[in-house]
Amino acid sequence: MTENAEVSYEDCSVYVDAADSSTVIAWLKERLGPGDEGRGLVVGPLRVSSACNDYSTGRKAHPFEFLEWPTVLECEAPAGVESGAVVAAVTAVLETLWCGGWNAVTACDFEDELPAHGGRDPCPLPSPSGSLPHARTGQW
C-alpha cells in the first residue's frame, strides 16, 4: 500500500443506522472483545467510542443521507500507527456491523482503502437469519 502524506489515519467516523448508540457499542464488544474497561471498545490500534449523532434529524433518513443516521462511532488511532493496521481495524468494525445486518458507512480520508469504499458501494450484506438483534431506523 502506498502511503499518501495528505491522508490522515488518525480518525474515522462510522455512521450507523441505529437508534441507540450504546446498543451498537455493546453489540460490537460481544463480537470483537471489549479491550477497554470504559464505555469504548479497542480494536487493534483503534479506540472506538459511540455517541448519538448531533446531526440526526429524527426522521427516517435515506441511505444516501447517512450523515443524519442517529449513531456515530468515533474511531481514533494514535499518531504514527501503521496505516495498514488502522485500515484493518476499521474494516473489522465495518464487516462485523454488516454481517450483523447493521447499515454502516464511514467518513474518513481513507474510505477508498476500505471494503465497499467504506459502505458507499453496495455492501456485501449476508441475509440475516431470523430477526435482527437491534432496531434500525430505516430500510436499506
Side-chain angles (χ1 to χ4, degrees):
M1 174 184 328
T2 306
E3 298 245 357
N4 181 344
E6 296 177 19
V7 174
S8 171
Y9 292 89
E10 293 178 15
D11 59 64
C12 181
S13 296
V14 180
Y15 291 85
V16 184
D17 185 15
D20 181 20
S21 63
S22 61
T23 300
V24 175
I25 205 77
W27 190 86
L28 283 169
K29 281 183 173 184
E30 289 175 10
R31 280 137 190 93
L32 298 173
D36 187 8
E37 293 179 19
R39 292 181 39 197
L41 164 74
V42 175
V43 180
L46 292 181
R47 178 172 298 278
V48 182
S49 59
S50 66
C52 292
N53 183 2
D54 291 337
Y55 296 103
S56 178
T57 60
R59 67 178 174 86
K60 185 182 268 189
H62 187 277
F64 295 125
E65 297 169 343
F66 67 89
L67 293 174
E68 296 179 7
W69 288 353
T71 294
V72 63
L73 302 178
E74 294 298 340
C75 304
E76 298 175 324
V81 172
E82 204 264 7
S83 62
V86 174
V87 171
V90 173
T91 295
V93 170
L94 274 177
E95 289 182 343
T96 301
L97 289 167
W98 292 339
C99 288
W102 300 88
N103 297 330
V105 177
T106 61
C108 58
D109 287 349
F110 55 93
E111 344 176 293
D112 291 344
E113 299 176 50
L114 297 168
H117 290 101
R120 284 175 174 61
D121 292 346
C123 297
L125 292 173
S127 299
S129 58
S131 63
L132 295 175
H134 54 274
R136 294 189 290 195
T137 62
Q139 296 297 319
W140 201 350

